[in-house]
Amino acid sequence: MKFIILPIILALSACSLTQPLVKPDLPVPAVFPAASGGESGPRAADLGWRAMFGDPRLQRLIELALANNRDLRLAALNVEAAQAQYGIQRSEQLPKIDGMAGAARQRTPANGPTQAATQTQYSANVALSAFEIDLFGRMQALSDAAFARYLASEQGRRAAQISLVGAVADAYFAERLADEQKQLAMRTLADWRQSLDLARLLKAGQQNSGLDVAQVEGQVASAEADLEARARAHAQAGNALRLLIGAEPPAGLPAPLPLEAQPVATRLPAGLPADLLLRRPDILQAEQQLVAANADIGAARATFFPSLSLTASLGFASPAMRGLFDGGHRAWSFAPQVSLPLFPNGRLRAELRLAELRKSGAVAEYERAIQTAFREVADGLAGRETFGRQIAAQGRTVASAERRADLSAQRYRAGVDGRLELLDAQRQLYAAKQALLDLRRGEFDNAVALYKALGGGLIDH
């Protein structure tokens, strides 16, 4: 009958000292700067990364990275660990019931008129171990905190996936840039070596001076040094890509597309700043960390109040195994216990203060995540509005440098200009072409950054 008290106590243990969480106001402007109106199309977060990156080779590399990357694997393991921790904490709210059976044999020595005796005791019972009745919501608050941290770890895994997709795309475009710059350096070096051979022939025929040959030799040596730098950059970009995908790229991958023909979506609708709160996993992760910190404060407050624990058992005890389960051998115990902290020497107040400080830190982290997201989107929008015009202008620069180089070559052959003018025109053309490649890669980098900033990179259509 006394076990009827247990449901009553449980029904009374609904009091909670965890205050409702009030989120801070958005610490960012209401609109993004440089965002053009009237945009249409799917949200970036709803745009699958296959649709964002149309290069088949890049798609295969992203697949490999999602399957093999160690950082993403660690993030997934952290989610499982947080889920297990939540299960452990959740189990603390439920009573622990154990079934036990045993036998004890004991001999007592003779003592005066009392003769020595041997006794045997058999027992079988069900025991409720020390179970804390959650009168003030401490156990529930700890469970809520563990659950929020589990949700935060899941959002962390999603954020890690977005970062990984973007990092693979960045590394791939870096490798493509380094390869195309190396190819341009090789073609330029071959042309300048031909110019050097021609200059030496003219020198042998006494049609120019040794100064012309020295100038071309310096130009060729500079191109050779630049080619080595481009080859090094290409090798390092390939190493970075292999690290991200977690394996050596397999044979049979689709051929890479040149930068100029990359089918990358560079015009992404930005939406509103409030959308980031629902789309960015890192913001959702910071929010769940804030929820956990708020629950920790409730748990710390509950420690100032009395705690009630319950220990009970019900079973049978008998000196003979045959009659162990007879009604007369029934045994039970019921031991509630109340404890109240009297002199904790400031420990409880310090723990509460620590929980409050951690919540303040979680608020700052939450606001910083929002501000960082806003800045990243704003930077991406600024790049989106300017890269196209800059690339067009650089294309005109290349065309102008090509015309100058052609005219300089004609004037040099006609004897109107010297070799120095031709060398300067050729160097300017080479630098303009390299800068155009850098800008094209920069446009893709900006598109990838904006795609990640808007929460894209999770969906695989």
Side-chain angles (χ1 to χ4, degrees):
M1 293 296 294
K2 295 188 179 183
F3 285 99
I4 299 177
I5 299 176
L6 180 59
I8 298 175
I9 295 177
L10 292 175
L12 294 175
S13 62
C15 179
S16 175
L17 298 178
T18 302
Q19 299 295 323
L21 177 63
V22 179
K23 298 179 186 177
D25 296 333
L26 293 183
V28 293
V31 295
F32 289 114
S36 57
E39 296 176 336
S40 61
R43 295 171 181 255
D46 297 328
L47 184 66
W49 53 260
R50 292 183 189 275
M52 177 68 184
F53 309 115
D55 188 334
R57 184 182 182 91
L58 176 55
Q59 291 177 356
R60 285 287 295 117
L61 293 174
I62 292 176
E63 289 176 358
L64 290 171
L66 293 176
N68 299 324
N69 185 267
R70 270 60 177 180
D71 290 336
L72 190 60
R73 190 179 302 174
L74 287 174
L77 291 174
N78 288 337
V79 174
E80 294 183 13
Q83 186 178 23
Q85 183 61 44
Y86 167 65
I88 294 172
Q89 190 61 55
R90 179 69 176 170
S91 68
E92 295 295 327
Q93 294 182 265
L94 303 174
K96 300 174 182 62
I97 300 176
D98 300 315
M100 296 176 289
R105 187 172 178 82
Q106 178 181 0
R107 181 181 185 278
T108 57
N111 184 10
T114 304
Q115 297 182 353
T118 301
Q119 297 177 342
T120 302
Q121 183 77 9
Y122 298 93
S123 64
N125 59 74
V126 176
L128 176 69
S129 58
F131 167 59
E132 181 177 345
I133 308 300
D134 199 14
L135 293 177
F136 297 97
R138 187 181 75 89
M139 304 301 295
Q140 181 62 49
L142 292 175
S143 179
D144 291 343
F147 183 64
R149 290 189 173 95
Y150 158 63
L151 295 179
S153 66
E154 172 60 24
Q155 295 299 333
R157 184 201 63 78
R158 297 173 73 239
Q161 177 177 326
I162 290 177
S163 297
L164 177 60
V165 170
V168 173
D170 284 337
Y172 178 73
F173 293 137
E175 185 194 42
R176 290 294 87 226
L177 172 68
D179 181 68
E180 293 191 22
Q181 287 183 328
K182 183 178 72 172
Q183 297 300 324
L184 176 59
M186 292 174 63
R187 292 192 299 268
T188 302
L189 177 59
D191 292 340
W192 290 356
R193 280 174 174 168
Q194 289 180 358
S195 297
L196 177 59
D197 293 339
L198 177 61
R200 285 170 175 170
L201 289 175
L202 294 175
K203 172 72 168 52
Q206 297 183 347
Q207 297 183 26
N208 64 7
S209 65
L211 178 60
D212 286 346
V213 175
Q215 290 173 339
V216 181
E217 286 177 342
Q219 185 183 38
V220 169
S222 175
E224 289 174 342
D226 188 61
L227 177 60
E228 294 301 323
R230 303 298 179 183
R232 179 173 63 251
H234 183 249
Q236 291 173 344
N239 293 335
L241 190 57
R242 280 188 287 272
L243 175 63
L244 288 170
I245 65 176
E248 190 71 22
L253 288 177
L257 298 177
L259 286 178
E260 189 175 4
Q262 281 291 332
V264 177
T266 57
R267 304 290 299 182
L268 296 172
L272 299 173
D275 294 341
L276 297 179
L277 302 182
L278 302 177
R279 299 286 180 171
R280 291 261 305 211
D282 57 338
I283 295 179
L284 297 176
Q285 181 182 21
E287 179 181 345
Q288 291 301 327
Q289 295 287 7
L290 179 56
V291 172
N294 187 65
D296 286 338
I297 292 178
R301 286 173 178 160
T303 58
F304 286 84
F305 295 87
S307 63
L308 173 63
S309 61
L310 175 65
T311 302
S313 67
L314 174 66
F316 299 89
S318 172
M321 176 66 75
R322 178 177 300 177
L324 176 61
F325 296 102
D326 292 344
H329 295 151
R330 184 181 295 115
W332 59 266
S333 66
F334 180 77
Q337 181 178 354
V338 177
S339 63
L340 175 66
L342 296 178
F343 301 105
N345 298 320
R347 179 179 62 85
L348 298 183
R349 292 190 179 276
E351 289 177 348
L352 177 58
R353 178 59 178 162
L354 178 60
E356 292 172 343
L357 290 173
R358 285 174 175 169
K359 180 185 176 181
S360 298
V363 171
E365 291 288 345
Y366 179 65
E367 293 177 333
R368 184 176 66 176
I370 294 175
Q371 291 174 335
T372 300
F374 185 88
R375 186 264 173 92
E376 290 174 352
V377 174
D379 286 349
L381 292 175
R384 186 191 66 177
E385 297 298 320
T386 57
F387 263 112
R389 295 193 296 269
Q390 187 180 8
I391 288 174
Q394 187 63 32
R396 294 193 297 271
T397 301
V398 171
S400 175
E402 287 176 339
R403 290 195 301 271
R404 181 194 173 192
D406 290 340
L407 292 174
S408 296
Q410 295 174 17
R411 292 171 66 85
Y412 173 73
R413 288 192 295 267
V416 178
D417 289 337
R419 167 67 68 174
L420 187 59
E421 172 64 24
L422 176 59
L423 293 179
D424 184 65
Q426 290 174 336
R427 291 193 187 101
Q428 185 185 44
L429 175 59
Y430 177 64
K433 288 182 176 179
Q434 293 284 16
L436 181 58
L437 289 175
D438 282 327
L439 282 176
R440 284 174 176 159
R441 188 270 170 108
E443 183 182 30
F444 294 143
D445 285 351
N446 182 79
V448 173
L450 182 57
Y451 182 60
K452 294 191 301 179
L454 295 174
L458 284 172
I459 300 175
D460 175 15
H461 291 307

